Amino acid sequence: MKKFFKSGLFIGFSVIFVLLIGIGVWGMLSDTTPTPLTSAVTAVTTPVQRLFTRIGDWVEDKTVYFRRYDALLAENARLKAELLNAQADIREARELQAENKRLRELLSISKSYESFDLLDAEVIASDTGSWGFTYTLDRGSADGVAVDQCVLTQEGVVGRVVEVGVNWARISCITATDSRIGALVSSTREVGVLEGSFDLMRQGVIRFSYLPANPELRIGDTVETSGSGTVYPKGLIVGTVIDLLPESDGNGYHAIVEPAADLSSLTSVYILLGITEVP
């Protein structure tokens, strides 16, 4: 192919073609009547000129297209960057909103229990075992957390700390089978014991045992901690009575209590580190 372009035949055709175009252009620019030669040359060169014009138009269109394509690419990159920034702003706003909510809850709890020293904590893991719900928190001994400290939310008691590391702690919920809490009915002041049960644990509720033979409490009554024992201070909300049943032996009654805190989907809690003054 290279030999053909260097051959005399190709060079000769090229010279003739250029001359023909030159003659055609001269004929079109002159004011005289076209000669037969000029007309013949024009007839030959016109399709070629039309082809070159179309090629030029095509090249121009493609140039414009690629310029627009590059502009679209640049705009797309800019929009992606703006979207990422917007998503980051949304995440930050949500985090600030969640933090604000936690601080408001902590403030609300602190006002309700001004004598309590509370520490906020985030749930970082959960486990539904055979004996009850357990959660792992992002606070540990370095933050003053110790075994048997009470854990609660704004709604009510969650459970107690059962294991502690330097920067983590594991808590067991009040529905666990080994849970025992001294409690009383807020309205009637009837005293009993909240006990975890294997069967009730699966339903997310607690048994309220050792009630009087003729209990005065009613469904819908609030149950709170009585203060007996060393884990749960007096006056913490535990839950609501949802049923009252006679004991199987016919001696007395027991109630079923639904926890006030949503124990199945905890995300943040408060650890009661201590009591700063006697209520």
Side-chain angles (χ1 to χ4, degrees), residues 18 25 32 40 49 54 59 74 81 85 89 91 115 123 143 166 187 204 223 235 238 242 245 259 265 270:
V18 172
V25 172
T32 59
Q49 290 174 338
R54 290 178 179 176
V59 171
N85 291 332
D89 291 340
R91 285 195 299 270
S115 60
V123 173
D143 304 293
V166 175
S187 58
V223 178
V238 179
I242 61 172
L245 303 169
S265 59
Y270 303 96

Side-chain angles (χ1 to χ4, degrees), residues 106-157:
L106 182 59
L107 179 61
S108 176
I109 292 177
S110 297
K111 285 183 176 180
S112 300
Y113 310 109
E114 293 182 354
S115 60
F116 294 166
D117 182 13
L118 298 174
L119 174 69
D120 63 312
E122 293 294 314
V123 173
I124 57 176
S126 62
D127 179 36
T128 306
S130 301
W131 311 109
F133 283 115
T134 61
Y135 288 91
T136 303
L137 310 180
D138 64 347
R139 301 286 195 172
S141 58
D143 304 293
V145 180
V147 171
D148 277 344
Q149 287 176 336
C150 173
V151 180
L152 63 157
T153 66
Q154 186 179 25
E155 288 74 27
V157 175

Side-chain angles (χ1 to χ4, degrees), residues 74-267:
E75 184 178 6
N76 187 45
R78 178 180 60 80
L79 291 175
K80 284 184 177 180
E82 291 180 357
L83 178 60
L84 290 175
N85 291 332
Q87 290 174 338
D89 291 340
I90 291 173
R91 285 195 299 270
E92 183 177 359
R94 287 176 177 172
E95 290 174 358
L96 291 174
Q97 186 178 20
E99 179 65 19
N100 185 51
K101 180 182 178 182
R102 287 194 296 271
L103 292 175
R104 286 179 180 275
E105 289 178 352
L106 182 59
L107 179 61
S108 176
I109 292 177
S110 297
K111 285 183 176 180
S112 300
Y113 310 109
E114 293 182 354
S115 60
F116 294 166
D117 182 13
L118 298 174
L119 174 69
D120 63 312
E122 293 294 314
V123 173
I124 57 176
S126 62
D127 179 36
T128 306
S130 301
W131 311 109
F133 283 115
T134 61
Y135 288 91
T136 303
L137 310 180
D138 64 347
R139 301 286 195 172
S141 58
D143 304 293
V145 180
V147 171
D148 277 344
Q149 287 176 336
C150 173
V151 180
L152 63 157
T153 66
Q154 186 179 25
E155 288 74 27
V157 175
V158 169
R160 65 188 179 92
V161 177
V162 294
E163 190 177 359
V164 179
V166 175
N167 58 356
W168 60 271
R170 188 168 290 112
I171 64 174
S172 177
C173 294
I174 56 177
T175 52
T177 56
D178 61 348
S179 177
R180 300 288 185 278
I181 306 173
L184 58 83
V185 181
S186 300
S187 58
T188 66
R189 314 310 290 176
E190 293 170 289
V191 178
V193 177
L194 288 166
E195 300 178 310
S197 164
F198 183 79
D199 294 332
L200 295 179
M201 176 194 71
R202 298 179 181 278
Q203 303 174 40
V205 295
I206 323 167
R207 178 187 173 98
F208 192 17
S209 303
Y210 307 109
L211 295 174
N214 297 304
E216 297 179 5
L217 65 84
R218 296 292 181 267
I219 294 175
D221 284 348
T222 300
V223 178
E224 62 185 66
T225 54
S226 64
S228 61
T230 59
V231 177
Y232 302 100
K234 182 180 179 180
L236 299 178
I237 300 299
V238 179
T240 304
V241 175
I242 61 172
D243 203 357
L244 182 61
L245 303 169
E247 295 289 4
S248 58
D249 59 6
N251 296 321
Y253 288 80
H254 71 272
I256 305 299
V257 175
E258 181 179 34
D262 185 1
L263 305 180
S264 63
S265 59
L266 292 174
T267 57

Side-chain angles (χ1 to χ4, degrees), residues 2-56:
K2 291 182 179 180
K3 292 182 178 180
F4 171 74
F5 287 117
K6 294 180 179 181
S7 65
L9 181 61
F10 174 76
I11 294 173
F13 275 121
S14 299
V15 172
I16 294 173
F17 181 73
V18 172
L19 288 176
L20 290 174
I21 291 177
I23 293 172
V25 172
W26 174 78
M28 288 184 293
L29 295 178
S30 65
D31 295 333
T32 59
T33 303
T35 65
L37 179 59
T38 302
S39 299
V41 171
T42 302
V44 173
T45 58
T46 296
V48 177
Q49 290 174 338
R50 186 180 297 113
L51 176 62
F52 284 162
T53 300
R54 290 178 179 176
I55 292 174

